[in-house]
Amino acid sequence: MPESDNAIDDEPSLDASQESDRGILWKVLLINLGQCLAGIIGGTWASSTAVIGAGLDNLGDAAVYAVSLYAVGRSATIKKRAAQLSGCLLIGFACLLLVEVVRRFFGGESPLGPAMMAMAAANALLNIYCIRLLKQHRGQDINFKASAIFTNNDSIVNGAIVLSGALVMWMNSNLPDLILGTVVSGIAAKGGYEILSEAKESQQ
């Protein structure tokens, strides 16, 4: 009967790999918290909206991983709601970053290119490690899909920050950093939209 099928779908999954999933999410959660702290402090010191944006993005990622950690082993309905919250969080952080870009456009010193490149390179290595961890999960869990989207976005962002740092040094201007900050905001918003779309599809 339809009601019985829905009841089964909403029952918590008793997957034997749940403990492994929790371990993976704890690792990427702690890594992203560290990246967030380094990005915000380092970005403020280097006067870089792109690096600050990457740090805020990591904070958003950490929030997503925390929500995903909560959702492991719970009902399909709770997983869907957790993914929706993740998407909304990322879109919210994208808006905050865009506000910061506009503020610095009307007044701000040129960022430190070498510092931008060094921090982005370190973050890129950590993101590669996170991606390898997340690939250990072979299922179709929507919250792990959300985590993978965030981590892939981070990799793109950090590669762009390295290029932006080089352009800042060459042009002696904060314009490349502001442009990248805007792009990072767009990437974050797109990631949030993708997660909300995944959540909607999983409901059907």
Side-chain angles (χ1 to χ4, degrees):
M1 294 177 64
E3 290 184 2
S4 298
D5 290 340
N6 289 338
I8 291 172
D9 288 341
D10 281 342
E11 284 295 320
S13 171
L14 297 179
D15 188 351
S17 66
Q18 285 177 17
E19 197 59 38
S20 174
D21 289 349
R22 289 192 180 94
I24 292 170
L25 287 170
W26 269 115
K27 287 179 182 177
V28 293
L29 169 61
L30 293 174
I31 289 171
N32 274 270
L33 284 175
Q35 287 177 296
C36 166
L37 185 62
I40 292 176
I41 294 175
T44 301
W45 170 71
S47 300
S48 170
T49 57
V51 175
I52 293 173
L56 288 174
D57 189 38
N58 285 126
L59 179 59
D61 293 357
V64 170
Y65 296 136
V67 170
S68 299
L69 190 60
Y70 170 77
V72 170
R74 298 183 185 271
S75 71
T77 299
I78 291 178
K79 288 184 177 183
K80 182 197 71 176
R81 289 174 181 169
Q84 289 173 331
L85 176 59
S86 299
C88 291
L89 281 171
L90 193 52
I91 292 173
F93 281 117
C95 293
L96 287 175
L97 176 57
L98 193 57
V99 170
E100 177 63 12
V101 169
V102 173
R103 186 188 73 80
R104 285 181 178 261
F105 179 79
F106 289 102
E109 63 277 18
S110 182
L112 301 175
M116 291 173 61
M117 297 170 71
M119 285 184 280
N123 276 337
L125 292 175
L126 289 172
N127 287 334
I128 291 172
Y129 177 64
C130 287
I131 290 173
R132 294 186 60 155
L133 286 173
L134 292 169
K135 283 184 177 179
Q136 293 175 19
H137 177 79
R138 302 298 181 184
Q140 298 298 316
D141 188 289
I142 187 173
N143 290 284
F144 268 84
K145 286 184 178 181
S147 300
I149 288 172
F150 284 158
T151 305
N152 284 326
N153 284 346
D154 290 346
S155 299
I156 296 171
V157 167
N158 283 301
I161 290 175
V162 172
L163 176 60
S164 178
L167 290 174
V168 164
M169 294 171 63
W170 179 52
M171 298 174 62
N172 193 29
S173 167
N174 68 349
L175 189 59
D177 180 64
L178 295 176
I179 292 173
L180 181 56
T182 304
V183 172
V184 171
S185 176
I187 291 174
K190 180 176 179 291
Y193 175 77
E194 288 177 1
I195 291 164
L196 291 176
S197 297
E198 289 272 2
K200 184 176 181 180
E201 288 176 7
S202 70
Q203 189 177 12
Q204 298 174 352

